[in-house]
Amino acid sequence: MRTIGALTGRMAMVAMACVLGSASMPVASQDQADATSIFQRMLRATHELTYTGVLVYQQGGISETARLARGIERGSARERMEILDGAPRELLLANGQLECYLPNLHRVTVEQVPAGRSLLPILPASSEVAASYRLRAEGSARVAGRDCDTILLEPRDGFRYAQRYWIDRASGMLMKAQILDEHRAVLEQFAFTQVQIGGAIAPTLLRPGYTLSRLGPDWRVDRGGIRSPAPGDTGWQLATAPPGYRKTAEVVREMSRSSRVGHMIVSDGVSAISVFVEPARGDAPADSLGVFRTGAFHVFKRRLDAFVVTAVGEAPAVSVQAIAEGVVMRQ
Amino acid sequence: MTDEEQLSALMDGEGDADPAFVERLMQDDALRQRWQEQHVVSDLLRGHAPVPFDLRRFQAALVAEPVVMVRRRPVPHPRPFSASRWWGGLSAVAACAAVVLVSSLVLPRHGGGVFDGASGEQANVASTESRSNPDRPASGRGSSSADGVREVPPGASVHEYLLAHEPVSGSFLSRGESVFVQPVNATDPRQSAR
């Protein structure tokens, strides 16, 4: 496993490459201003519009299709996603609560989600991206029969991935999005293949086939194991992090291996990384530590005295590792 | 594999998706129309009001619908509805279909899954293996890549972390049902006995 010194050196090289790269870039152009305007409009539109459609999601060799609907009921926004292939699964997002129904398992998970979160995939959580990314207009294209503007969210350094968006010119709706690695290969993408934007959404499209308060006795309700949502009580803090990343939340969770796991969420406004700290159980095999990859996610696990630190995120390995290495016990 | 077969397999979640086909689905108006029509059928069967569409064109397409034969792979969960099964039933040739299906099972295989045909050459979505080492075969899972990043070994319990991360990650589709299965089996004897 790499030492902290080696990691710091790697981070410095990434930062230097960023500075050298940015020196050769032109100053903000009209294109960039246009791209910023389109991007801001897209973020507003996806939280204001009503819509229903079918989308295809793809990550590596895995794909799923889903029907997504967003409407207003009794003055509140509701989003419902129904997975159309494979095992049945339904998600409902309303009033900051996410319910995920798995009828085959007779199980439902209930989680509180950060404000502004949508079921629409690959949607940035924040509009404050200028410090870590630059926006570039890339022209136009058609998606699901609609004219779209294409913009690229380009990272200013190697600590995050690029994202590309296809945005409906008429409404501002996000029609297609991709996450791209450092070689511009697509790690993850989604696109609507059919969509209706605006107008009233049929209530049947917004209500899941199940109701939390009326589930049978054989259903298991999992509320995410959050013991304490109060900030600052995990006992851990992030001493260092790659540029642009900061801790946005922390909770104490109950998980299968420990009844008290500190969970910190670190984000640059677009990319989110979770860090879990839990008591070590015996000697962890050496090959269980280090950096791993699963799909578009990187996982980094290390020992910290009598604890194990695990960081997970859709970000380059160097960022996930740096954030895991930055965790220290709160003094 | 024909477009119709690929559409039906994609709707049923069978096999690995061919990224080239998915990309074409996003761009090709005619192909997308076929996709929409199949989803309209699905919506009607599920009791949902479909998004408005051209009924006359849909009916014409329904009449002209060919039998779709897709070689199935084992599915771990029972599925109450399968679009391709229903679609095939419309053509009233179920008996013939069964014969052809049995025949297809003994034909030489061209790869592990129904989408394997062109995905290796045309993939525009990076697979984790090809990113780390384009020459490494698919069976190389679990070994180290040139940059020292290893695939999560089979049986490693990262699912619970991914599940806890999901509400903040912005992607609720990336892990499928499997992410829920392992923690349940690990902690709930009732589920294990199911």
Side-chain angles (χ1 to χ4, degrees):
Chain A
M1 185 167 53
R2 291 180 176 86
T3 65
I4 293 178
L7 178 64
T8 306
R10 193 171 165 193
M11 289 173 64
M13 288 177 64
V14 172
M16 184 176 293
C18 158
V19 170
L20 292 173
S22 63
S24 63
M25 297 297 290
V27 294
S29 62
Q30 182 60 39
D31 271 359
Q32 189 165 338
D34 290 346
T36 302
S37 170
I38 294 168
F39 178 72
Q40 302 281 3
R41 180 175 179 238
M42 179 266 288
L43 289 179
R44 285 195 306 274
T46 48
H47 291 104
E48 292 171 358
L49 291 169
T50 57
Y51 55 84
T52 177
V54 174
L55 59 85
V56 180
Y57 171 88
Q58 190 175 23
Q59 184 194 91
I62 300 167
S63 78
E64 288 196 298
T65 59
R67 171 174 296 288
L68 177 61
R70 184 179 190 280
I72 307 294
E73 279 200 348
R74 299 190 204 96
S76 297
R78 288 171 71 89
E79 293 184 19
R80 174 175 173 251
M81 179 181 281
E82 180 186 12
I83 313 303
L84 298 175
D85 46 21
R89 189 156 46 106
E90 288 191 38
L91 296 97
L92 177 70
L93 178 61
N95 302 315
Q97 178 168 289
L98 173 70
E99 299 167 12
C100 177
Y101 294 90
L102 301 134
N104 279 357
L105 300 177
H106 283 221
R107 186 178 179 199
V108 56
T109 64
V110 183
E111 286 264 7
Q112 303 304 311
V113 299
R117 181 54 75 195
S118 169
L119 295 181
L120 203 58
I122 317 179
L123 184 65
S126 169
S127 61
E128 304 298 322
V129 300
S132 301
Y133 300 85
R134 67 175 66 85
L135 281 157
R136 204 170 68 200
E138 289 195 324
S140 60
R142 280 169 64 81
V143 177
R146 303 181 76 98
D147 291 327
C148 293
D149 293 312
T150 308
I151 61 172
L152 179 70
L153 190 65
E154 190 173 37
R156 294 184 184 274
D157 55 33
F159 293 114
R160 57 212 101 231
Y161 291 139
Q163 300 197 1
R164 180 176 283 132
Y165 309 107
W166 285 253
I167 299 165
D168 179 37
R169 195 169 294 155
S171 66
M173 178 71 187
L174 179 62
M175 297 294 296
K176 176 179 175 180
Q178 294 176 332
I179 297 178
L180 310 164
D181 72 7
E182 60 271 31
H183 307 296
R184 292 290 187 266
V186 178
L187 294 171
E188 184 178 340
Q189 66 176 335
F190 95 89
F192 278 105
T193 58
Q194 168 198 18
V195 68
Q196 171 196 322
I197 299 173
I201 304 300
T204 53
L205 291 174
L206 296 171
R207 293 181 192 138
Y210 314 91
T211 304
L212 196 57
S213 58
R214 292 202 290 271
L215 295 173
D218 56 338
W219 276 72
R220 166 181 161 146
V221 180
D222 184 346
R223 295 189 179 273
I226 296 179
R227 293 168 62 98
S228 168
D233 62 355
T234 63
W236 303 93
Q237 64 183 19
L238 197 62
T240 60
Y245 283 94
R246 64 182 184 84
K247 187 186 74 180
T248 57
E250 64 178 312
V251 295
V252 175
R253 287 181 175 275
E254 181 174 355
M255 299 177 81
S256 63
R257 284 179 294 282
S258 172
S259 60
R260 186 179 170 84
V261 179
H263 178 190
M264 286 184 283
I265 297 154
V266 184
S267 175
D268 68 353
V270 176
S271 172
I273 296 171
S274 282
V275 189
F276 303 89
V277 188
E278 62 199 295
R281 298 197 310 180
D283 291 331
D287 62 0
S288 70
L289 304 176
V291 60
F292 299 90
R293 176 163 43 214
T294 175
F297 288 82
H298 279 109
V299 179
F300 183 80
K301 188 184 282 276
R302 74 178 182 108
R303 282 293 292 263
L304 177 57
D305 300 327
F307 296 87
V308 173
V309 180
T310 306
V312 174
E314 281 171 299
V318 64
S319 303
V320 176
Q321 180 174 351
I323 286 169
E325 299 282 10
V327 172
V328 297
M329 189 172 283
R330 195 187 304 278
Q331 299 298 318
Chain B
M1 183 179 294
T2 67
D3 287 349
E4 295 301 329
E5 290 170 338
Q6 296 224 47
L7 274 179
S8 292
L10 190 61
M11 284 192 68
D12 287 349
E14 294 172 333
D16 296 330
D18 177 354
F21 178 76
V22 173
E23 184 64 26
R24 199 154 63 80
L25 177 61
M26 294 169 184
Q27 306 293 338
D28 184 327
D29 288 342
L31 192 58
R32 205 172 52 253
Q33 180 68 28
R34 294 291 305 121
W35 172 258
Q36 291 172 10
E37 287 162 359
Q38 293 206 20
H39 277 291
V40 167
V41 174
S42 170
D43 280 348
L44 290 169
L45 287 178
R46 288 162 191 264
H48 294 325
V51 174
F53 70 105
D54 184 338
L55 181 61
R56 192 175 304 171
R57 181 171 175 178
F58 169 68
Q59 288 172 328
L62 197 63
V63 170
E65 176 63 22
V67 179
V68 175
M69 299 311 306
V70 177
R71 185 169 58 232
R72 296 181 180 280
R73 66 176 184 179
V75 177
H77 300 288
R79 290 173 299 153
F81 169 72
S82 165
S84 65
R85 277 202 300 268
W86 187 87
W87 207 255
L90 274 181
S91 303
V93 290
C96 294
V99 171
V100 178
L101 177 60
V102 168
S103 303
S104 72
L105 291 173
V106 300
L107 289 174
R109 297 179 69 89
H110 300 289
V114 293
F115 281 98
D116 284 356
S119 59
E121 295 175 3
Q122 300 176 28
N124 67 336
V125 176
S127 75
T128 54
E129 287 161 358
S130 63
R131 278 202 314 278
S132 57
N133 184 349
D135 297 325
R136 194 175 63 193
S139 58
R141 279 187 176 279
S143 59
S144 289
S145 63
D147 59 4
V149 179
R150 292 166 287 171
E151 290 291 329
V152 171
S157 53
V158 298
H159 298 76
E160 202 172 6
Y161 301 119
L162 293 173
L163 186 57
H165 177 67
E166 190 178 62
V168 297
S169 72
S171 288
F172 297 97
L173 284 167
S174 56
R175 286 157 289 285
E177 192 185 62
S178 62
V179 75
F180 298 93
V181 174
Q182 293 202 10
V184 171
N185 286 344
T187 59
D188 186 349
R190 181 188 57 183
Q191 296 292 342
S192 300
R194 190 178 291 278

